[in-house]
Coordinates of all heavy atoms in Angstrom, one line a residue:
M1 N 147.4 91.1 128.8 CA 146.3 92.1 129.0 C 146.2 92.4 130.5 O 146.0 91.5 131.3 CB 145.0 91.5 128.4 CG 144.1 92.6 128.0 SD 142.6 91.9 127.3 CE 142.7 92.2 125.6
N2 N 146.2 93.7 130.8 CA 146.1 94.0 132.2 C 144.6 94.2 132.6 O 143.7 94.2 131.7 CB 146.9 95.3 132.5 CG 146.4 96.5 131.8 OD1 145.3 96.5 131.3 ND2 147.3 97.5 131.7
L3 N 144.4 94.3 133.9 CA 143.1 94.4 134.4 C 142.3 95.7 133.9 O 141.1 95.6 133.7 CB 143.2 94.4 136.0 CG 141.8 94.4 136.7 CD1 141.1 93.1 136.3 CD2 142.1 94.4 138.2
A4 N 143.0 96.8 133.8 CA 142.4 98.0 133.4 C 141.8 97.9 132.0 O 140.7 98.4 131.7 CB 143.4 99.2 133.5
S5 N 142.6 97.3 131.1 CA 142.1 97.2 129.7 C 140.9 96.2 129.6 O 140.0 96.3 128.8 CB 143.2 96.8 128.8 OG 143.7 95.5 129.1
Q6 N 140.9 95.1 130.4 CA 139.8 94.2 130.5 C 138.5 94.9 130.9 O 137.5 94.7 130.4 CB 140.2 93.0 131.4 CG 141.2 92.0 130.8 CD 141.5 90.9 131.8 OE1 141.0 90.9 132.9 NE2 142.2 89.9 131.3
V7 N 138.6 95.7 132.0 CA 137.5 96.4 132.5 C 137.0 97.4 131.4 O 135.8 97.6 131.2 CB 137.8 97.1 133.8 CG1 136.7 98.1 134.2 CG2 138.1 96.1 134.9
S8 N 137.9 98.1 130.8 CA 137.6 99.0 129.7 C 136.9 98.3 128.6 O 135.9 98.8 128.1 CB 138.8 99.8 129.3 OG 138.5 100.6 128.2
N9 N 137.4 97.2 128.2 CA 136.7 96.4 127.1 C 135.3 96.0 127.4 O 134.4 96.0 126.6 CB 137.6 95.3 126.7 CG 138.9 95.7 125.9 OD1 138.9 96.8 125.4 ND2 139.9 94.8 125.9
K10 N 135.2 95.5 128.7 CA 133.8 95.1 129.1 C 132.9 96.3 129.1 O 131.7 96.2 128.7 CB 133.9 94.5 130.6 CG 134.5 93.2 130.6 CD 134.4 92.6 132.0 CE 135.0 91.2 132.1 NZ 135.0 90.7 133.4
G11 N 133.3 97.5 129.5 CA 132.5 98.7 129.5 C 132.1 99.0 128.1 O 130.9 99.4 127.8
V12 N 133.0 98.9 127.1 CA 132.7 99.2 125.7 C 131.7 98.2 125.2 O 130.8 98.5 124.5 CB 134.0 99.2 124.9 CG1 133.7 99.3 123.4 CG2 134.9 100.4 125.3
A13 N 131.9 96.9 125.5 CA 131.0 95.9 125.1 C 129.6 96.1 125.7 O 128.6 95.9 125.0 CB 131.5 94.5 125.5
Q14 N 129.5 96.5 126.9 CA 128.2 96.7 127.5 C 127.6 97.9 126.9 O 126.4 97.9 126.7 CB 128.4 96.9 129.1 CG 128.7 95.7 129.8 CD 128.9 95.9 131.3 OE1 129.1 97.0 131.7 NE2 128.9 94.8 132.1
D15 N 128.3 99.0 126.6 CA 127.8 100.1 125.9 C 127.3 99.7 124.5 O 126.2 100.2 124.1 CB 128.8 101.2 125.8 CG 129.1 101.9 127.2 OD1 128.3 101.7 128.1 OD2 130.1 102.6 127.3
G16 N 128.0 98.9 123.9 CA 127.6 98.4 122.5 C 126.3 97.6 122.6 O 125.4 97.8 121.7
Y17 N 126.2 96.7 123.6 CA 124.9 96.0 123.7 C 123.8 96.9 124.1 O 122.6 96.7 123.6 CB 125.1 94.9 124.8 CG 125.9 93.7 124.3 CD1 127.0 93.3 124.9 CD2 125.5 93.0 123.1 CE1 127.7 92.2 124.5 CE2 126.2 91.9 122.7 CZ 127.3 91.5 123.3 OH 128.0 90.4 122.9
L18 N 124.0 97.9 125.0 CA 123.0 98.8 125.3 C 122.5 99.6 124.1 O 121.3 99.7 123.9 CB 123.5 99.8 126.4 CG 122.4 100.8 126.9 CD1 121.3 100.0 127.6 CD2 123.1 101.7 127.9
L19 N 123.4 100.0 123.3 CA 123.0 100.7 122.0 C 122.2 99.8 121.1 O 121.2 100.2 120.5 CB 124.3 101.2 121.3 CG 124.1 101.9 120.0 CD1 123.3 103.2 120.2 CD2 125.4 102.2 119.3
L20 N 122.7 98.5 121.0 CA 122.0 97.6 120.2 C 120.6 97.3 120.7 O 119.6 97.2 119.9 CB 122.7 96.2 120.1 CG 122.1 95.1 119.3 CD1 122.1 95.5 117.8 CD2 123.0 93.8 119.5
E21 N 120.4 97.2 122.0 CA 119.1 97.1 122.6 C 118.2 98.3 122.2 O 117.0 98.1 121.9 CB 119.2 96.9 124.1 CG 119.7 95.6 124.5 CD 119.9 95.5 126.0 OE1 119.6 96.5 126.7 OE2 120.3 94.4 126.5
W22 N 118.7 99.5 122.3 CA 117.9 100.7 122.0 C 117.5 100.7 120.5 O 116.4 101.0 120.1 CB 118.7 101.9 122.3 CG 118.5 102.3 123.8 CD1 119.4 102.1 124.8 CD2 117.3 103.0 124.3 NE1 118.8 102.6 126.0 CE2 117.6 103.1 125.7 CE3 116.1 103.4 123.8 CZ2 116.6 103.7 126.6 CZ3 115.2 103.9 124.7 CH2 115.4 104.1 126.0
V23 N 118.5 100.3 119.7 CA 118.2 100.3 118.2 C 117.1 99.2 117.9 O 116.1 99.5 117.2 CB 119.5 100.0 117.4 CG1 119.1 99.6 116.0 CG2 120.4 101.1 117.5
L24 N 117.2 98.1 118.6 CA 116.1 97.1 118.4 C 114.8 97.5 118.9 O 113.7 97.3 118.3 CB 116.5 95.7 119.0 CG 117.7 95.0 118.3 CD1 118.1 93.8 119.2 CD2 117.2 94.5 117.0
A25 N 114.8 98.2 120.1 CA 113.5 98.7 120.6 C 112.9 99.7 119.7 O 111.7 99.7 119.5 CB 113.8 99.3 122.0
L26 N 113.7 100.6 119.2 CA 113.2 101.6 118.3 C 112.7 101.0 117.0 O 111.6 101.4 116.4 CB 114.2 102.7 118.0 CG 114.6 103.6 119.1 CD1 115.7 104.5 118.8 CD2 113.4 104.4 119.5
A27 N 113.4 100.0 116.5 CA 112.9 99.3 115.3 C 111.6 98.6 115.5 O 110.7 98.7 114.7 CB 114.0 98.3 114.8
C28 N 111.4 98.0 116.7 CA 110.1 97.4 117.0 C 109.0 98.4 117.1 O 107.9 98.2 116.6 CB 110.3 96.6 118.3 SG 111.3 95.1 118.2
L29 N 109.3 99.5 117.7 CA 108.3 100.6 117.9 C 107.9 101.1 116.5 O 106.7 101.3 116.2 CB 108.9 101.7 118.8 CG 108.0 102.9 119.0 CD1 106.7 102.4 119.7 CD2 108.7 103.9 119.8
A30 N 108.9 101.3 115.6 CA 108.6 101.8 114.3 C 107.7 100.8 113.5 O 106.8 101.2 112.8 CB 109.9 102.1 113.5
G31 N 108.1 99.5 113.7 CA 107.2 98.5 113.0 C 105.8 98.5 113.5 O 104.9 98.3 112.8
F32 N 105.7 98.6 114.8 CA 104.3 98.7 115.4 C 103.5 99.9 114.9 O 102.4 99.7 114.6 CB 104.4 98.7 117.0 CG 103.1 98.8 117.6 CD1 102.2 97.7 117.7 CD2 102.7 100.0 118.2 CE1 101.0 97.8 118.3 CE2 101.4 100.1 118.8 CZ 100.6 99.0 118.9
V33 N 104.2 101.0 114.9 CA 103.5 102.2 114.4 C 103.1 102.0 112.9 O 102.0 102.4 112.5 CB 104.4 103.5 114.5 CG1 103.9 104.7 113.8 CG2 104.6 103.8 116.0
L34 N 104.0 101.5 112.1 CA 103.7 101.2 110.7 C 102.5 100.2 110.6 O 101.6 100.4 109.7 CB 104.9 100.6 110.0 CG 104.8 100.4 108.5 CD1 104.5 101.7 107.8 CD2 106.1 99.8 108.0
L35 N 102.5 99.2 111.4 CA 101.3 98.3 111.4 C 100.0 99.0 111.7 O 99.0 98.8 111.1 CB 101.6 97.1 112.4 CG 100.5 96.1 112.6 CD1 100.3 95.3 111.3 CD2 100.8 95.2 113.7
V36 N 100.0 99.8 112.8 CA 98.8 100.5 113.2 C 98.4 101.4 112.1 O 97.2 101.5 111.7 CB 99.0 101.2 114.5 CG1 97.9 102.2 114.8 CG2 99.2 100.3 115.6
M37 N 99.3 102.2 111.5 CA 98.9 103.1 110.4 C 98.3 102.3 109.2 O 97.4 102.8 108.6 CB 100.2 103.9 109.9 CG 100.6 104.9 111.0 SD 102.1 105.8 110.5 CE 101.7 106.4 108.9
T38 N 98.9 101.2 108.9 CA 98.4 100.3 107.8 C 97.0 99.9 108.1 O 96.1 99.9 107.2 CB 99.3 99.1 107.5 OG1 100.6 99.6 107.3 CG2 98.8 98.3 106.4
L39 N 96.8 99.4 109.3 CA 95.4 98.9 109.7 C 94.4 100.1 109.6 O 93.3 99.9 109.2 CB 95.4 98.3 111.1 CG 96.2 97.0 111.2 CD1 96.3 96.5 112.6 CD2 95.5 95.9 110.3
L40 N 94.8 101.2 110.1 CA 93.9 102.4 110.1 C 93.6 102.8 108.7 O 92.5 103.2 108.4 CB 94.5 103.5 110.9 CG 94.5 103.3 112.4 CD1 95.1 104.5 113.1 CD2 93.1 103.1 113.0
S41 N 94.6 102.8 107.8 CA 94.3 103.2 106.4 C 93.4 102.2 105.7 O 92.6 102.6 104.9 CB 95.6 103.4 105.7 OG 96.3 102.2 105.4
D42 N 93.6 100.9 106.0 CA 92.7 99.9 105.4 C 91.3 100.2 105.9 O 90.3 100.0 105.1 CB 93.2 98.5 105.8 CG 94.4 98.1 105.0 OD1 94.7 98.8 104.0 OD2 95.0 97.1 105.4
R43 N 91.1 100.5 107.2 CA 89.8 100.7 107.7 C 89.1 102.0 107.0 O 87.9 101.9 106.7 CB 89.8 101.0 109.2 CG 90.3 99.8 110.0 CD 89.2 99.0 110.5 NE 89.8 97.9 111.4 CZ 89.2 96.8 111.4 NH1 88.2 96.5 110.8 NH2 89.8 95.8 112.2
S44 N 89.9 103.0 106.8 CA 89.3 104.2 106.2 C 88.9 103.9 104.8 O 87.8 104.4 104.3 CB 90.2 105.4 106.2 OG 91.4 105.1 105.4
W45 N 89.6 103.1 104.1 CA 89.3 102.7 102.7 C 88.0 101.9 102.7 O 87.1 102.1 101.9 CB 90.4 101.9 102.1 CG 90.1 101.4 100.7 CD1 90.1 102.0 99.5 CD2 89.7 100.0 100.4 NE1 89.8 101.2 98.5 CE2 89.4 100.0 99.0 CE3 89.4 98.9 101.1 CZ2 89.0 98.9 98.3 CZ3 89.0 97.8 100.5 CH2 88.8 97.7 99.1
Q46 N 87.9 100.9 103.7 CA 86.7 100.1 103.8 C 85.5 101.0 104.1 O 84.4 100.8 103.6 CB 86.8 99.1 104.8 CG 87.8 98.0 104.4 CD 88.1 97.0 105.6 OE1 87.7 97.2 106.7 NE2 88.7 95.9 105.2
L47 N 85.7 102.0 105.0 CA 84.6 102.9 105.4 C 84.1 103.7 104.2 O 82.9 103.9 104.0 CB 85.1 103.8 106.5 CG 84.1 104.8 107.0 CD1 82.8 104.1 107.6 CD2 84.7 105.8 108.0
E48 N 85.1 104.2 103.4 CA 84.7 105.0 102.2 C 83.9 104.1 101.2 O 82.9 104.5 100.6 CB 85.9 105.5 101.5 CG 86.6 106.6 102.2 CD 87.9 107.0 101.5 OE1 88.2 106.6 100.4 OE2 88.7 107.8 102.1
Q49 N 84.3 102.8 101.1 CA 83.6 101.9 100.2 C 82.2 101.6 100.7 O 81.2 101.6 100.0 CB 84.4 100.6 100.1 CG 83.7 99.6 99.2 CD 84.6 98.3 99.1 OE1 85.5 98.1 99.8 NE2 84.2 97.4 98.1
V50 N 82.0 101.5 102.0 CA 80.7 101.2 102.6 C 79.8 102.4 102.4 O 78.6 102.3 102.1 CB 80.8 100.9 104.1 CG1 79.5 100.9 104.8 CG2 81.4 99.5 104.3
V51 N 80.3 103.6 102.6 CA 79.6 104.9 102.5 C 79.1 105.0 101.0 O 78.0 105.3 100.7 CB 80.4 106.1 102.9 CG1 79.7 107.4 102.5 CG2 80.6 106.1 104.4
T52 N 80.0 104.7 100.1 CA 79.7 104.8 98.7 C 78.6 103.8 98.3 O 77.6 104.1 97.6 CB 80.9 104.5 97.8 OG1 81.9 105.5 98.1 CG2 80.6 104.6 96.3
E53 N 78.7 102.6 98.8 CA 77.7 101.5 98.6 C 76.3 102.0 99.1 O 75.3 101.8 98.5 CB 78.1 100.2 99.1 CG 79.2 99.5 98.4 CD 79.7 98.3 99.0 OE1 79.2 97.9 100.1 OE2 80.6 97.6 98.5
Q54 N 76.3 102.6 100.3 CA 75.1 103.0 100.9 C 74.4 104.1 100.1 O 73.2 104.2 100.0 CB 75.3 103.5 102.4 CG 75.5 102.4 103.4 CD 75.8 102.9 104.8 OE1 76.2 104.0 105.0 NE2 75.6 102.0 105.7
Q55 N 75.3 105.0 99.6 CA 74.7 106.1 98.7 C 74.1 105.5 97.5 O 73.0 106.0 97.1 CB 75.8 107.1 98.4 CG 76.3 107.9 99.6 CD 77.5 108.8 99.2 OE1 78.2 108.5 98.3 NE2 77.8 109.8 100.1
V56 N 74.7 104.6 96.9 CA 74.2 104.0 95.7 C 72.9 103.2 96.0 O 71.9 103.4 95.3 CB 75.2 103.0 95.0 CG1 74.6 102.1 94.0 CG2 76.4 103.7 94.5
L57 N 72.8 102.5 97.1 CA 71.6 101.8 97.5 C 70.5 102.8 97.8 O 69.3 102.5 97.4 CB 71.9 100.9 98.7 CG 72.7 99.7 98.4 CD1 73.1 98.9 99.6 CD2 72.1 98.7 97.4
T58 N 70.8 103.9 98.4 CA 69.8 104.9 98.7 C 69.3 105.5 97.4 O 68.0 105.7 97.3 CB 70.4 106.0 99.6 OG1 70.9 105.4 100.8 CG2 69.4 107.1 99.9
Q59 N 70.1 105.8 96.5 CA 69.6 106.3 95.2 C 68.8 105.3 94.5 O 67.7 105.7 93.9 CB 70.8 106.7 94.3 CG 71.6 107.9 94.8 CD 72.8 108.2 94.0 OE1 73.3 107.4 93.2 NE2 73.4 109.3 94.2
Q60 N 69.1 104.0 94.5 CA 68.3 103.0 93.9 C 67.0 102.9 94.6 O 65.9 102.8 93.9 CB 69.0 101.7 93.9 CG 70.2 101.6 93.0 CD 71.0 100.3 93.1 OE1 70.8 99.5 94.1 NE2 71.8 100.0 92.1
L61 N 67.0 103.0 95.9 CA 65.7 102.9 96.6 C 64.8 104.1 96.3 O 63.6 103.9 96.1 CB 66.0 102.9 98.1 CG 64.8 102.8 99.1 CD1 64.0 101.6 98.8 CD2 65.2 103.0 100.5
Q62 N 65.4 105.3 96.2 CA 64.6 106.5 95.9 C 64.0 106.3 94.5 O 62.9 106.7 94.2 CB 65.4 107.7 96.0 CG 65.8 108.1 97.4 CD 66.8 109.2 97.5 OE1 67.4 109.6 96.5 NE2 66.9 109.8 98.7
T63 N 64.8 105.8 93.5 CA 64.3 105.6 92.2 C 63.2 104.6 92.1 O 62.2 104.8 91.4 CB 65.5 105.1 91.3 OG1 66.6 106.1 91.3 CG2 65.1 105.0 89.8
D64 N 63.3 103.5 92.9 CA 62.3 102.5 92.9 C 61.0 103.1 93.5 O 59.9 102.8 93.0 CB 62.7 101.3 93.7 CG 63.8 100.4 93.0 OD1 63.9 100.6 91.8 OD2 64.4 99.6 93.7
Q65 N 61.2 103.9 94.6 CA 60.0 104.4 95.2 C 59.3 105.4 94.3 O 58.0 105.5 94.2 CB 60.4 105.2 96.5 CG 60.7 104.2 97.6 CD 61.3 104.9 98.9 OE1 61.7 106.0 98.8 NE2 61.2 104.2 100.0
L66 N 60.0 106.2 93.5 CA 59.5 107.1 92.6 C 58.7 106.4 91.5 O 57.6 106.7 91.1 CB 60.6 108.0 92.0 CG 60.1 109.0 90.9 CD1 59.1 110.0 91.5 CD2 61.3 109.7 90.3
W67 N 59.3 105.3 91.0 CA 58.7 104.5 89.9 C 57.4 103.9 90.5 O 56.3 103.9 89.8 CB 59.6 103.4 89.5 CG 59.1 102.6 88.4 CD1 59.0 102.8 87.1 CD2 58.4 101.3 88.5 NE1 58.4 101.8 86.4 CE2 58.0 100.9 87.2 CE3 58.1 100.5 89.6 CZ2 57.4 99.7 87.0 CZ3 57.4 99.3 89.4 CH2 57.1 98.9 88.1
R68 N 57.4 103.4 91.7 CA 56.2 102.8 92.3 C 55.1 103.9 92.4 O 53.9 103.6 92.2 CB 56.5 102.2 93.6 CG 57.2 100.8 93.5 CD 57.3 100.1 94.9 NE 58.1 99.0 94.8 CZ 59.3 98.8 95.4 NH1 59.7 99.7 96.2 NH2 60.0 97.7 95.2
S69 N 55.5 105.0 92.9 CA 54.5 106.1 93.0 C 53.9 106.5 91.7 O 52.7 106.7 91.6 CB 55.2 107.4 93.6 OG 55.6 107.1 94.9
Q70 N 54.7 106.6 90.7 CA 54.2 106.9 89.3 C 53.2 105.8 88.9 O 52.2 106.1 88.2 CB 55.3 107.1 88.4 CG 56.2 108.3 88.6 CD 57.4 108.4 87.7 OE1 57.8 107.4 87.1 NE2 58.0 109.6 87.6
Q71 N 53.6 104.5 89.1 CA 52.7 103.5 88.7 C 51.4 103.5 89.5 O 50.3 103.3 88.9 CB 53.4 102.1 89.0 CG 54.5 101.8 88.1 CD 54.2 101.8 86.6 OE1 53.2 101.3 86.2 NE2 55.0 102.4 85.8
Q72 N 51.4 103.9 90.8 CA 50.2 104.0 91.5 C 49.3 105.1 91.0 O 48.1 105.0 90.9 CB 50.5 104.2 93.0 CG 51.0 103.0 93.7 CD 51.5 103.2 95.1 OE1 51.6 104.4 95.5 NE2 51.7 102.2 95.9
V73 N 49.9 106.2 90.6 CA 49.2 107.4 90.1 C 48.5 107.0 88.8 O 47.4 107.2 88.5 CB 50.1 108.6 89.9 CG1 49.4 109.7 89.1 CG2 50.5 109.2 91.3
R74 N 49.3 106.2 87.9 CA 48.7 105.8 86.6 C 47.5 104.9 86.9 O 46.5 105.0 86.2 CB 49.8 105.1 85.8 CG 50.8 106.0 85.2 CD 51.7 105.3 84.2 NE 52.7 106.2 83.8 CZ 54.0 106.0 83.9 NH1 54.5 104.9 84.5 NH2 54.9 106.9 83.4
Q75 N 47.7 103.9 87.8 CA 46.6 103.0 88.1 C 45.3 103.8 88.6 O 44.2 103.5 88.2 CB 47.0 102.0 89.1 CG 48.0 100.9 88.5 CD 48.5 100.0 89.6 OE1 48.2 100.1 90.8 NE2 49.2 99.0 89.2
L76 N 45.6 104.7 89.5 CA 44.4 105.5 90.0 C 43.8 106.3 88.9 O 42.5 106.4 88.9 CB 44.9 106.4 91.2 CG 45.3 105.7 92.5 CD1 45.9 106.7 93.4 CD2 44.1 105.0 93.1
L77 N 44.6 106.9 88.1 CA 44.0 107.7 86.9 C 43.2 106.8 86.0 O 42.1 107.2 85.5 CB 45.1 108.4 86.2 CG 45.7 109.6 86.9 CD1 46.9 110.2 86.1 CD2 44.7 110.7 87.1
Q78 N 43.7 105.6 85.8 CA 43.0 104.6 84.9 C 41.7 104.2 85.5 O 40.7 104.1 84.8 CB 43.9 103.4 84.6 CG 45.0 103.7 83.6 CD 45.9 102.5 83.4 OE1 45.7 101.4 84.1 NE2 46.8 102.5 82.4
L79 N 41.7 104.0 86.8 CA 40.5 103.6 87.5 C 39.5 104.8 87.5 O 38.3 104.5 87.3 CB 40.8 103.2 89.0 CG 41.4 101.9 89.2 CD1 41.8 101.7 90.7 CD2 40.5 100.8 88.7
Q80 N 40.0 106.0 87.6 CA 39.0 107.1 87.7 C 38.5 107.5 86.3 O 37.4 107.8 86.2 CB 39.8 108.3 88.4 CG 38.9 109.5 88.6 CD 39.5 110.6 89.4 OE1 40.7 110.5 89.8 NE2 38.8 111.6 89.8
F81 N 39.4 107.6 85.4 CA 39.0 108.1 84.1 C 39.0 107.0 83.0 O 38.6 107.3 81.8 CB 40.0 109.2 83.6 CG 40.0 110.4 84.5 CD1 41.2 110.6 85.3 CD2 39.0 111.3 84.6 CE1 41.2 111.7 86.2 CE2 39.0 112.3 85.4 CZ 40.1 112.6 86.2
G82 N 39.3 105.8 83.3 CA 39.2 104.8 82.3 C 40.6 104.7 81.6 O 41.4 105.5 81.8
D83 N 40.7 103.8 80.7 CA 41.9 103.6 79.9 C 42.1 104.7 78.9 O 41.3 104.9 78.0 CB 41.9 102.3 79.2 CG 43.3 101.9 78.7 OD1 44.3 102.6 79.0 OD2 43.4 100.9 78.0
A84 N 43.0 105.6 79.1 CA 43.2 106.8 78.2 C 44.0 106.4 77.0 O 44.1 107.2 76.1 CB 44.0 107.9 79.0
S85 N 44.6 105.2 76.9 CA 45.4 104.9 75.7 C 44.6 104.4 74.6 O 43.5 104.0 74.7 CB 46.5 103.9 76.1 OG 45.9 102.7 76.7

């Protein structure tokens, strides 16, 4: 093997390693992007769940407050007019 072919083979090998490094770097970057997207999508799902739970709790609170108000009105009417039943 002569010197020129050895130098040429080393250049090809170095180019191959450089290409491999770029492929690995891009694969790592793609994995990181996928991880971030997964984490963000999980957060949005959790946020939707929390908002839904808050809406349900707010509706329950409003229903409870309405029931209490009706009970208070009944009690006041009973006090004012006596037992109507």
